[in-house]
Amino acid sequence: MPQTPELAESAPPAQHHRLESPVHHASTHDDWWRRSVIYQVYPRSFRDTTGNGVGDLPGITLELPKIASLGVDALWLSPFFASPQRDAGYDVSDYCAVDPLFGTLGDFDDLVAEANRLGVKILVDIVPNHCSNEHLLFARALAQGPGSAAREMFIFRDGRGERGDLPPNNWQSHFGGSAWTRVTEADGSPGQYYLHLFDSSQPDFNWDNPAVGDEFEHILRFWLDRGAGGFRVDVAHALVKDAALPDWGGTPDGSPSPGFPFSDAPMFGRPGVHDVFRRWRGICEEYDGERVLCAEANVHPIEAMADWVRSDEMHQSFNFPFLHTGWDAQALKGIITRSLNAFDAVGAPSTWVLSNHDVARHATRFGTVAPATRPGDGLGPEDPQPDLELGLARARAATLFMLGLPGGAYLYQGEELGLGDHTELPHPLRQDPTYARTNGERLGRDGCRVPLPWTPGNPTLGFSDAGEAWIPQPATWQHLTREAQELDPDSTLWMYRNALGLRRARNLGLGDLSWLVDTGTPEVLGFANGGLLVIMNLGNAQFTLPEGTVLQASSATAVDATGRLLNPDSTVWLLPA
Ligand code: NOJ
């Protein structure tokens, strides 16, 4: 990869490296989820075998050997359940059925069989905070009216004001607008309001009602019995609300700042939520094979998030503060140290993640001057466009740095190809409800959900044999296909595969972490995990690598001709000579 080596004048003389005292010790437990690399599949954009323009379960089974050969431990599949697809499947109308868009239950069984053959686990994305308004339970709640047991499955309240025509409180939907929608009762009169923290098509369940817990126990067992390796748990911070449903004085979506739900908000992190996950942990432990629970517990600060992974609750929680930290060496050092301390305090592995289906991909964020990190704030054709070369260089460096860290790592499909977002999608093609609910003020998440490029040439770059895709791919992806990268040892794909192989061989996931003492520049960050030294250069000048080391992996043409100068925007893995 081309680099800019002309800035070498400030490189200090080479030195032997010294380490600070460890901030994290090697794990004494060997559970797979303490060191795992989990690959997120977004089914609608993975691989379409039916020609309907939407990826499907047989497409995942077909391509699974390619993903398994990357060296990942498990796949997490975003929802493929029956759904009207108002929020891309996070609006579930039947939790125990596969949406015909994606295939059948038999296709799921085939996928699990192939995954077992290849030694990877399949994690299912469970959505317990809300369902679809087309779910039978919600249809019953509407039909049976105020005060009925069916309504108690959800959060219905009378409106405020003399005529009851004001929402019960001031909470706002994450996708924009009020979090309450008024229903028309069976007799045609204006009725109660129901709560939906997301789209109006996603009514929130009432987790104070034990019948909801029983319903979900049945759903968990259904997928565990079919061989699921566990669950990614959607909105795991929000299931239980303050029973008084008080107005919230923070920002309307319960955040101290956009996109960062605060554990003190009345809709997040209520103590009762932890009882739910204790019950779920018990259910998982009845099954063999270390079935796991991974929390989308989007709460700040990281010390609060650690409550979700106490020893009798979930196994892992996504580290969003790490994802949101950006290109800043000292901020990264700070959040990594805090994460390890916070998760160590409860005996859980820390996790690391740079991209997912809700935020701009890291290759886009790192190529953008003022990157948006709030879910739903994608880039559009009118915005300044990212610097693709810079974004890719930094994305590769950040990934190689992340994969050296102890704990669990998450990858989002396509990042192993160096994909960024589609940042020039025509607005009429946008499907994320965020776009419509904010009247286009926030562009939504479609840009990071674009179908994968497999082979050059075909109109959808091999995503669909029929040449159809539910949303178009950017023209720049023509040279980023998996097939082309397979042929190029300098490709991002090869970098990921090599790094994952070394990570596994050296057991880095269960390793320790000591920061490198004083690299001489605050923009260079280094740590040791076991015998491996990981150094990332986030500054503008070349950095002289420590003496007595040999290169194991590199994110780019990371070192100059002498082999001792680390270029800007690069990461290397070194071992003692
Ligand atoms: C978090 C999911 O990741 C996101 O895609 C979804 O829109 C919301 N939860 C609502 O389920």
Side-chain angles (χ1 to χ4, degrees):
M1 166 162 308
Q3 288 291 317
T4 47
E6 69 272 12
L7 300 158
E9 72 280 356
S10 61
Q15 54 189 316
H16 290 286
H17 66 274
R18 286 182 299 121
L19 300 176
E20 296 177 3
S21 48
V23 294
H24 171 77
H25 296 282
S27 175
T28 50
H29 304 280
D30 188 24
D31 316 294
W32 76 271
W33 46 271
R34 291 183 183 276
R35 53 163 169 74
S36 56
V37 177
I38 300 179
Y39 181 97
Q40 180 189 359
V41 171
Y42 196 64
R44 67 174 45 231
S45 291
F46 189 77
R47 178 74 165 82
D48 170 26
T49 60
T50 59
N52 65 357
V54 177
D56 44 54
L57 296 182
I60 303 170
T61 307
L62 178 71
E63 306 292 6
L64 194 56
K66 297 192 179 109
I67 305 306
S69 73
L70 265 179
V72 303
D73 300 286
L75 267 57
W76 142 39
L77 269 50
S78 282
F80 51 82
F81 318 111
S83 162
Q85 305 293 330
R86 299 283 290 277
D87 182 23
Y90 284 94
D91 49 322
V92 182
S93 54
D94 184 346
Y95 290 84
C96 298
V98 171
D99 196 288
L101 258 186
F102 301 121
T104 63
L105 277 174
D107 293 331
F108 179 80
D109 296 339
D110 291 346
L111 173 58
V112 170
E114 175 69 345
N116 286 340
R117 189 183 72 79
L118 294 166
V120 294
K121 297 169 190 295
I122 299 292
L123 309 186
V124 170
D125 198 331
I126 209 76
V127 188
N129 180 67
H130 47 265
C131 60
S132 160
N133 58 349
E134 294 185 23
H135 195 292
L136 190 60
L137 287 172
F138 193 72
R140 277 193 200 136
L142 289 183
Q144 293 182 17
S148 65
R151 240 170 226 209
E152 277 304 300
M153 295 294 281
F154 298 91
I155 303 175
F156 278 89
R157 291 290 184 280
D158 294 333
R160 290 201 281 203
E162 265 176 36
R163 289 190 303 280
D165 55 359
L166 298 173
N169 68 25
N170 71 348
W171 297 2
Q172 298 287 297
S173 152
H174 285 279
F175 295 155
S178 173
W180 295 93
T181 290
R182 195 171 195 183
V183 302
T184 303
E185 303 296 357
D187 64 3
S189 63
Q192 292 190 299
Y193 288 76
Y194 65 90
L195 179 70
H196 51 88
L197 291 184
F198 294 89
D199 188 50
S200 55
S201 65
Q202 295 166 293
D204 280 39
F205 281 112
N206 171 17
W207 275 90
D208 290 332
N209 180 351
V212 172
D214 294 344
E215 178 77 20
F216 272 88
E217 172 156 355
H218 162 74
I219 295 164
L220 295 187
R221 289 186 186 281
F222 177 87
W223 291 106
L224 290 169
D225 288 340
R226 290 196 104 89
F231 303 94
R232 177 265 190 190
V233 184
D234 191 60
V235 206
H237 48 288
L239 274 48
V240 177
K241 282 82 179 174
D242 182 331
L245 299 176
D247 279 346
W248 163 239
T251 57
D253 64 354
S255 314
S257 62
F260 291 87
F262 194 39
S263 41
D264 286 351
M267 65 294 265
F268 300 133
R270 300 297 90 204
V273 82
H274 298 289
D275 295 336
V276 174
F277 301 129
R278 286 190 190 103
R279 177 175 179 182
W280 288 21
R281 175 73 173 244
I283 296 169
C284 285
E285 287 183 354
E286 287 177 33
Y287 289 78
D288 59 4
E290 293 185 85
R291 318 285 177 107
V292 295
L293 299 167
C294 309
E296 189 207 23
N298 200 352
V299 289
H300 278 225
I302 191 90
E303 290 76 11
M305 188 189 288
D307 283 353
W308 272 255
V309 286
R310 288 175 289 195
S311 60
D312 57 350
E313 296 193 40
M314 302 220 191
H315 301 78
Q316 293 188 345
S317 186
F318 299 125
N319 192 336
F320 293 113
F322 173 75
L323 183 152
H324 290 297
T325 296
W327 194 251
D328 178 333
Q330 294 312 308
L332 277 171
K333 183 176 181 182
I335 192 60
I336 292 167
T337 302
R338 272 180 71 182
S339 303
L340 291 166
N341 288 338
F343 291 110
D344 279 348
V346 292
S350 188
T351 65
W352 315 105
V353 57
L354 288 165
S355 284
N356 66 32
H357 66 295
D358 287 330
V359 293
R361 287 174 175 277
H362 60 293
T364 294
R365 296 200 308 273
F366 292 142
T368 309
V369 179
T373 53
R374 180 168 60 161
D377 285 344
L379 289 177
E382 295 87 11
D383 295 313
Q385 293 299 299
D387 177 334
L388 298 184
E389 194 178 348
L390 179 69
L392 180 57
R394 289 185 171 180
R396 289 170 57 129
T399 296
L400 194 61
F401 187 82
M402 175 181 89
L403 291 178
L405 292 168
Y410 281 86
L411 307 177
Y412 175 45
Q413 69 177 35
E415 67 168 87
E416 76 277 22
L417 304 177
L419 303 184
D421 282 18
H422 195 326
T423 53
E424 296 180 285
L425 273 176
H427 298 316
L429 300 181
R430 297 189 185 281
Q431 301 195 16
D432 182 353
T434 310
Y435 182 68
R437 286 187 67 92
T438 61
N439 295 318
E441 191 191 313
R442 295 170 61 197
L443 296 182
R445 301 161 292 178
D446 297 304
C448 66
R449 300 175 169 182
V450 172
L452 292 183
W454 294 90
T455 51
N458 157 311
T460 58
L461 302 174
F463 163 68
S464 160
D465 297 338
E468 296 291 329
W470 66 276
I471 205 158
Q473 298 149 313
T476 48
W477 284 10
Q478 183 71 30
H479 64 283
L480 291 178
T481 62
R482 187 172 299 263
E483 190 177 287
Q485 296 200 34
E486 277 295 354
L487 302 173
D488 175 8
D490 290 331
S491 66
T492 306
L493 180 61
W494 278 60
M495 185 200 85
Y496 269 72
R497 206 163 36 213
N498 291 342
L500 289 168
L502 275 169
R503 178 185 160 89
R504 180 171 292 205
R506 300 196 65 81
N507 216 2
L508 299 182
L510 295 179
D512 59 351
L513 187 137
S514 304
W515 293 109
L516 207 60
V517 170
D518 186 18
T519 60
T521 156
E523 285 133 0
V524 173
L525 195 55
F527 66 84
N529 178 350
L532 188 86
L533 202 55
V534 176
I535 302 182
M536 174 159 66
N537 185 353
L538 297 90
N540 296 321
Q542 288 180 316
F543 174 75
T544 307
L545 293 171
E547 284 175 350
T549 53
V550 268
L551 189 66
Q552 298 298 299
S554 153
S555 69
T557 315
V559 286
D560 79 335
T562 70
R564 305 294 345 142
L565 291 176
L566 179 65
N567 281 325
D569 305 318
S570 308
T571 295
V572 285
W573 286 8
L574 307 170
L575 276 179

